[in-house]
Amino acid sequence: VRGQVYRVIAPWMRHFYLSYDDNYYIIPCANNVVMGGTAQKGNWNLSPDPTDSKDIWERCCNLVPSLRKSTVDHEWVGLRPSRSKVRLERETLVVGSCSLEVVHNYGHGGSGITLHWGCAQEAATLVQQALGTQQTKAKL
């Protein structure tokens, strides 16, 4: 899934905005604000598309008009693996007499920026659980 976003300088932005009807969002980060976006299956173009840029800008500025005063830091395009639902789970892989705990956290598609905090927290919890179940073997 191809995702295109703007990163803008808008230090007054403190709240997240999501428009579920048309897939646009505004997400404040530490140093800038993400304005997005697109979710285009089958489009592998890594360059910002001017039509998408204009659409993102207009729709996000319509959601929050003060963004028209922001300074564009940069535009960005990324390709994301996608599936029907996010895979976020713990699995034990057994090969011969060895077992390995694996935490899967992928398939966010174009929604990674909106899901990352919650998924990262859940993945960290699963890793802590996996580490808690490991048995140490004495080496003699």
Side-chain angles (χ1 to χ4, degrees):
V1 174
R2 179 184 178 275
Q4 179 173 325
V5 299
Y6 274 104
R7 295 276 184 159
V8 299
I9 306 302
W12 61 89
M13 293 296 301
R14 300 277 186 242
H15 300 284
F16 290 67
Y17 294 85
L18 300 172
S19 175
Y20 292 105
D21 295 336
D22 52 13
N23 200 32
Y24 287 88
Y25 50 87
I26 300 161
I27 301 174
C29 300
N31 298 318
N32 55 33
V33 175
V34 178
M35 295 169 54
T38 62
Q40 302 164 336
K41 291 183 179 179
N43 182 347
W44 308 110
N45 182 6
L46 289 172
S47 297
D49 178 276
T51 302
D52 291 336
S53 297
K54 183 178 182 206
D55 193 43
I56 292 166
W57 183 263
E58 288 303 319
R59 289 182 184 248
C60 288
C61 288
N62 285 340
L63 247 112
V64 180
S66 69
L67 285 171
R68 292 191 190 280
K69 295 183 264 177
S70 66
T71 303
V72 174
D73 188 18
H74 63 279
E75 287 185 83
W76 184 80
V77 173
L79 303 176
R80 300 285 188 256
S82 181
R83 48 189 279 137
S84 60
K85 94 180 203 190
V86 172
R87 183 173 186 194
L88 180 50
E89 64 184 353
R90 180 176 150 199
E91 178 181 17
T92 303
L93 300 177
V94 179
V95 179
S97 62
C98 297
S99 67
L100 175 67
E101 295 292 323
V102 176
V103 173
H104 300 277
N105 183 12
Y106 61 87
H108 301 83
S111 299
I113 191 75
T114 57
L115 299 175
H116 72 284
W117 283 109
C119 289
Q121 288 177 334
E122 179 65 21
T125 298
L126 293 173
V127 168
Q128 289 173 334
Q129 290 171 356
L131 292 172
T133 61
Q134 285 184 345
Q135 294 181 2
T136 57
K137 296 180 181 177
K139 294 180 182 181
L140 299 176

